[in-house]
Amino acid sequence: MIWEIDDSTHAVEGLDGRGRPRPEYAASLGLRMAPFGRRVLATSIELGILVVLQLPLLLVSLPVLLNAAASADPAAALTDAGNLGLVIACAAASSALTTAFVVLQLVLHGRKGTTVGKAATGIRSVNVRTLERPGFWRGAVVRYLVLGASFLVPLVGPVLVIACSPLFDPERRGRGWADMAGATWFVDARNGLNPYDAKRMRIARKTAATDLADERSELPSLATSAVAPGSGAYIPVTRSSGGVVGAPRGEAYTAGAAPGGTDAAAVAPSAAAVDPGAPAAGAAAPATREPVHPAVASPTGAAAAGPGVPWTPPRLLPDAAPPAGPPRPAAARPAARARPGTPAVAAPPVADASSSPAVVLEFDTGARIALPGAGILIGRDPSPAPGDNGLTLVPIEDPTKSISKTHLALLRTGGAIIAVDRASTNGSALIRDGAEHSLPPGQGVTVRSGDTLLLGDRRALIRIG
């Protein structure tokens, strides 16, 4: 067994050149600032719990201690009190419960980015640089020490540190002085992305880093010239198991081509194109050469031609004199009569939106999208590809960015509805009869009424008819 130690440093995303967090990066992930109203409500809930924990001390122990302090002999007053044991027990219970609650708050805040009040109001705390958990010492302990130190100056300190300092945040993210000391930031987990949802956070980071990789570089065809554009026309000259091998046309081809058609000498055979001793592709054919008829080359034709000898396709038709004038269009051939007992072959179906049943997509957000015409392209910002003429672009709002810019095409082909995944980042799936089936990218799958399409984190129910 070989153990590998990853000693590479963890790169923190979303920082500027000076190592400071960029607010726009957090916004691109879908993180939103927690509203002040809910932050106040969360603090009120936690203060209420502290008051409840202090009730035994306030209701039982504190009155006895105040009476003893007001008497001439406090020790004798405490001794004469018949409930001295109860006083001590209530004071100890309040102190122990309060200490346990404060420690629990610190651990939850440092490890999970939440507290009792923040969990109830849908608020989470993250480290402002890494957008991960704040950490126990700086994110929790240091922050609470700053908050506690503000009470050393009665009234003015808490108002200035807790209430007013978030208004001075230059980044407008509601971070007060305690948050800046603890490098924390409070986000809204209800209306925005929950930073502790590992799957959604990973998708959001990947989306922000790659922009869904929707803008892919086009791979050149094997029949495309590798030379600079404008160096001449380009024609395929031979074939291989990998595709078409091409060569640029020379000036001789341009000069020898007929104005209205294709010169027979322009389509250079493979042996003449690769043999340097063969005549040029644009050279005129000898006068004694017989006219060449369109034919399919036999597999042994190229082997029969020797080096430097132009290859001539075999004649499959009798010799005929070349036409004197321009070629006349071929006459329409009469339709063949069907033999008795032979069923007629129906023409391929043509998509007709007027005669096809209505198709509606019902998203889990409540949106309803009808399928018009030839079909639709679905995505955050769909853009048609070559051949997508007639498709309607349907943008889908997705704060988590789990849907690609051009995610899926829903096409109307004849009487069928076809779903095609457009190489989306998070993929598409089809739920039918309770079973989930992934859609292979680029392959059409026929959908039925009652099927459910999964597009990233979104669901869409298909209703036909």
Side-chain angles (χ1 to χ4, degrees), residues 26-111:
S28 68
L29 298 181
L31 298 176
R32 298 183 179 181
M33 180 187 71
F36 285 105
R38 272 195 274 159
R39 292 183 63 176
V40 173
L41 178 60
T43 304
S44 302
I45 293 175
E46 295 167 0
L47 290 177
I49 295 176
L50 286 175
V51 171
V52 171
L53 296 178
Q54 292 294 319
L55 285 179
L57 175 63
L58 297 176
L59 297 179
V60 179
S61 301
L62 187 60
V64 175
L65 294 176
L66 291 177
N67 292 333
S71 63
D73 189 359
L78 289 176
T79 305
D80 295 340
N83 55 354
L84 180 61
L86 180 61
V87 170
I88 297 175
C90 290
S94 294
S95 301
L97 291 176
T98 302
T99 302
F101 178 73
V102 172
V103 172
L104 177 64
Q105 292 281 92
L106 292 175
V107 173
L108 287 177
H109 192 187
R111 299 286 184 177

Side-chain angles (χ1 to χ4, degrees), residues 30 93 161 278 323 371 443 465:
V161 175
L371 185 67
Q443 298 184 14

Side-chain angles (χ1 to χ4, degrees), residues 432 447-452 461-465:
R432 176 177 295 171
V447 299
R448 301 185 308 204
S449 182
D451 291 346
T452 300
L461 178 63
I462 301 175
R463 296 192 181 275
I464 303 178

Side-chain angles (χ1 to χ4, degrees), residues 6-413:
D6 186 10
D7 55 355
S8 59
T9 57
H10 176 65
V12 179
E13 301 174 347
L15 303 180
D16 58 11
R18 298 182 179 180
R20 297 176 301 184
R22 294 187 293 112
E24 58 271 14
Y25 175 77
S28 68
L29 298 181
L31 298 176
R32 298 183 179 181
M33 180 187 71
F36 285 105
R38 272 195 274 159
R39 292 183 63 176
V40 173
L41 178 60
T43 304
S44 302
I45 293 175
E46 295 167 0
L47 290 177
I49 295 176
L50 286 175
V51 171
V52 171
L53 296 178
Q54 292 294 319
L55 285 179
L57 175 63
L58 297 176
L59 297 179
V60 179
S61 301
L62 187 60
V64 175
L65 294 176
L66 291 177
N67 292 333
S71 63
D73 189 359
L78 289 176
T79 305
D80 295 340
N83 55 354
L84 180 61
L86 180 61
V87 170
I88 297 175
C90 290
S94 294
S95 301
L97 291 176
T98 302
T99 302
F101 178 73
V102 172
V103 172
L104 177 64
Q105 292 281 92
L106 292 175
V107 173
L108 287 177
H109 192 187
R111 299 286 184 177
K112 302 295 183 179
T114 186
T115 58
V116 175
K118 294 175 178 60
T121 55
I123 297 177
R124 296 295 183 270
S125 175
V126 294
N127 183 283
V128 71
R129 295 182 73 253
T130 63
L131 301 180
E132 298 174 354
R133 61 184 185 180
F136 177 76
W137 291 108
R138 182 175 182 181
V141 176
V142 173
R143 183 177 181 276
Y144 276 87
L145 287 177
V146 174
L147 293 176
S150 66
F151 287 89
L152 296 178
V153 181
L155 189 61
V156 178
V159 171
L160 184 61
V161 175
I162 299 177
C164 297
S165 63
L167 304 177
F168 305 146
D169 185 7
E171 297 176 351
R172 303 296 182 184
R173 295 204 280 181
R175 299 178 63 230
W177 293 343
D179 299 322
M180 294 182 181
T184 56
W185 180 41
F186 291 98
V187 298
D188 186 359
R190 288 183 179 175
N191 301 325
L193 174 63
N194 184 357
Y196 292 91
D197 189 336
K199 179 181 178 181
R200 290 177 178 267
M201 197 67 178
R202 182 173 61 253
I203 293 174
R205 288 184 183 273
K206 182 178 179 181
T207 302
T210 62
D211 196 22
L212 288 179
D214 280 346
E215 298 180 0
R216 298 178 176 87
S217 59
E218 298 183 359
L219 297 178
S221 169
L222 292 177
T224 304
S225 174
V227 297
S231 60
Y234 196 78
I235 58 171
V237 296
T238 186
R239 293 181 179 270
S240 67
S241 61
V244 179
V245 180
R249 293 172 176 169
E251 297 179 356
Y253 170 83
T254 307
T262 303
D263 193 359
V267 183
S270 59
V274 298
D275 190 357
T288 58
R289 177 176 294 180
E290 298 178 352
V292 178
H293 301 280
V296 179
S298 64
T300 60
V309 179
W311 174 80
T312 304
R315 290 177 297 156
L316 300 183
L317 298 176
D319 297 342
R328 285 181 280 180
R333 303 176 67 178
R337 295 181 179 179
R339 297 181 180 179
T342 303
V345 180
V350 180
D352 187 2
S354 60
S355 60
S356 301
V359 180
V360 178
L361 291 181
E362 296 181 355
F363 281 84
D364 51 3
T365 58
R368 294 171 57 90
I369 299 176
L371 185 67
I376 58 176
L377 276 178
I378 304 175
R380 289 190 299 109
D381 186 14
S383 58
D388 288 343
N389 298 331
L391 298 185
T392 303
L393 306 182
V394 179
I396 301 297
E397 183 178 358
D398 183 23
T400 62
K401 296 187 178 181
S402 62
I403 298 180
S404 300
K405 289 183 178 178
T406 305
H407 196 105
L408 180 132
L410 200 61
L411 310 176
R412 191 191 298 270
T413 305

Side-chain angles (χ1 to χ4, degrees), residues 420-436:
V420 183
D421 182 83
R422 288 300 182 89
S424 59
T425 301
N426 299 318
S428 305
L430 178 70
I431 298 179
R432 176 177 295 171
D433 299 331
E436 181 176 334

